Amino acid sequence: GAVVSQHPSWVICKSGTSVKIECRSLDFQATTMFWYRQFPKQSLMLMATSNEGSKATYEQGVEKDKFLINHASLTLSTLTVTSAHPEDSSFYICSARIPGQPQHFGDGTRLSIL
Amino acid sequence: AQKITQTQPGMFVQEKEAVTLDCTYDTSDQSYGLFWYKQPSSGEMIFLIYQGSYDEQNATEGRYSLNFQKARKSANLVISASQLGDSAMYFCAMRALRVTGRRALTFGSGTRLQVQP
């Protein structure tokens, strides 16, 4: 069964709104989670590393104020796309790692900004 | 820095035949892990197989095997007895091991595999 739950799976909203995506680890504690973005027919690109109880580490070129990450508990990380615009439309996917195992991914969120 | 190269944007294979998906990598890390993931059209990432840089034997998981050639820095995925359900995007990825702060995966550009009946 799934070990990482991501919600929602699909979002369509108007330009200018903010969208929150949740990533939950099921039955294990994840001090670190990762957020990736995938444009159509492209690879997964790491956006940021989410650290429980501390600030996220963002990759070069990713706007911190645009993509807010909160990792307030050991089982939940959230990604908020603030004031979303059409160019933010993409597939966002999170992952978490259980030591000694490969990374487990959520099912992803398809974000469409109209 | 780490880099993964998948030179085959798309591959076709007949059902029941074997297919090899290429992956080469570059890294300055002495200890690293190599992964293959399958991504069907629905989007989820499905872990297939793992090879550690220190593993002397090639990894196998059912119909999947990893042809690891360390000197050539290649980690090709071999799928035997292809099935229609194998049609998907396949990503090669790597991660440094025993290095704090760098636990995210670096992905290649992917190969779209289509299995034909």
Side-chain angles (χ1 to χ4, degrees):
Chain A
V3 296
V4 175
S5 173
Q6 187 171 340
H7 179 80
S9 56
W10 199 300
V11 180
I12 302 174
C13 59
K14 293 181 179 180
S15 183
T17 59
S18 293
V19 178
K20 180 184 284 188
I21 303 170
E22 293 186 347
C23 181
R24 292 181 185 274
S25 59
L26 306 178
D27 300 325
F28 72 98
Q29 295 179 335
T31 56
T32 303
M33 292 185 179
F34 305 98
W35 287 96
Y36 297 84
R37 179 169 57 184
Q38 184 181 29
F39 291 109
K41 298 185 179 181
Q42 293 188 25
S43 187
L44 281 74
M45 299 299 295
L46 180 68
M47 297 177 66
T49 301
S50 175
N51 304 299
E52 189 270 333
S54 64
K55 292 182 179 180
T57 304
Y58 289 83
E59 295 300 297
Q60 191 173 8
V62 177
E63 300 175 59
K64 301 178 183 180
D65 296 333
K66 177 74 172 178
F67 300 99
L68 299 179
I69 291 173
N70 185 285
H71 196 152
S73 79
L74 286 170
T75 60
L76 175 64
S77 174
T78 61
L79 168 67
T80 302
V81 184
T82 61
S83 186
H85 292 284
E87 58 267 26
D88 298 322
S89 297
S90 187
F91 184 68
Y92 294 87
I93 191 165
C94 68
S95 73
R97 181 174 161 266
I98 301 173
Q101 295 187 19
Q103 284 190 23
H104 295 275
F105 286 84
D107 286 344
T109 298
R110 296 192 187 278
L111 176 62
S112 296
I113 308 298
L114 304 177
Chain B
Q2 299 172 341
K3 185 177 180 181
I4 295 280
T5 302
Q6 294 180 254
T7 58
Q8 306 156 314
M11 290 281 286
F12 289 90
V13 65
Q14 289 293 122
E15 195 177 7
K16 299 181 184 179
E17 291 186 351
V19 63
T20 298
L21 306 184
D22 295 340
C23 172
T24 58
Y25 61 90
D26 194 16
T27 181
S28 56
D29 297 303
Q30 293 299 310
S31 181
Y32 49 88
L34 295 156
F35 304 78
W36 278 91
Y37 283 85
K38 172 185 178 181
Q39 186 181 41
S41 56
S42 51
E44 71 267 31
M45 295 292 284
I46 302 168
F47 167 72
L48 298 177
I49 196 166
Y50 166 80
Q51 177 86 40
S53 60
Y54 44 80
D55 293 336
E56 294 185 353
Q57 290 194 332
N58 287 341
T60 60
E61 288 286 350
R63 293 187 299 112
Y64 305 107
S65 61
L66 201 152
N67 184 1
F68 180 47
Q69 298 187 44
K70 193 171 182 178
R72 295 185 177 184
K73 294 190 175 180
S74 72
N76 299 339
L77 176 69
V78 180
I79 305 174
S80 62
S82 296
Q83 302 172 356
L84 295 177
D86 293 334
S87 295
M89 273 298 275
Y90 288 80
F91 290 99
C92 181
M94 76 179 302
R95 181 177 71 84
L97 302 178
R98 306 184 188 125
V99 177
T100 57
R102 287 168 51 203
R103 289 170 288 175
L105 292 169
T106 299
F107 286 89
S109 55
T111 296
R112 179 164 296 282
L113 177 66
Q114 295 188 50
V115 181
Q116 298 176 318

